[in-house]
Amino acid sequence: MSKTKLTINNNGSVKIEGDFEIVDRNGNAYGLQGREIVSICRCGLSKNKPFCDGAHNGHFEHEAIAFDLPPKKV
């Protein structure tokens, strides 16, 4: 099985690709109807949360540049 890949898009959603399951806080799975790629809302404007519906266009700014987190606390 390949890794699940999350892509943080500039000014938009988080794209999830691969073999994954999305559940609510009670552990109930969302019915993804066989999709292997979905986009998750980051802006809070989607009417289809947690999924992106494009409502962020022109209303959300974030340049996605990867960086290293500080060392993990032990």
Side-chain angles (χ1 to χ4, degrees):
M1 175 170 65
S2 64
K3 288 184 180 181
T4 299
K5 179 180 174 183
L6 282 74
T7 303
I8 311 304
N9 293 311
N10 282 344
N11 305 323
S13 63
V14 175
K15 181 170 79 169
I16 305 172
E17 303 175 73
D19 184 22
F20 58 88
E21 178 181 40
I22 300 175
V23 299
D24 66 16
R25 67 186 196 134
N26 296 316
N28 300 309
Y30 286 88
L32 302 178
Q33 308 306 318
R35 288 175 176 82
E36 295 178 352
I37 299 174
V38 298
S39 291
I40 300 296
C41 176
R42 287 198 304 147
C43 72
L45 299 173
S46 176
K47 298 217 184 316
N48 196 31
K49 288 184 210 71
F51 304 100
C52 177
D53 67 2
H56 62 271
N57 288 330
H59 302 285
F60 181 75
E61 292 185 23
H62 175 260
E63 187 173 356
I65 304 289
F67 60 90
D68 292 334
L69 291 173
K72 185 176 172 182
K73 295 179 182 180
V74 285

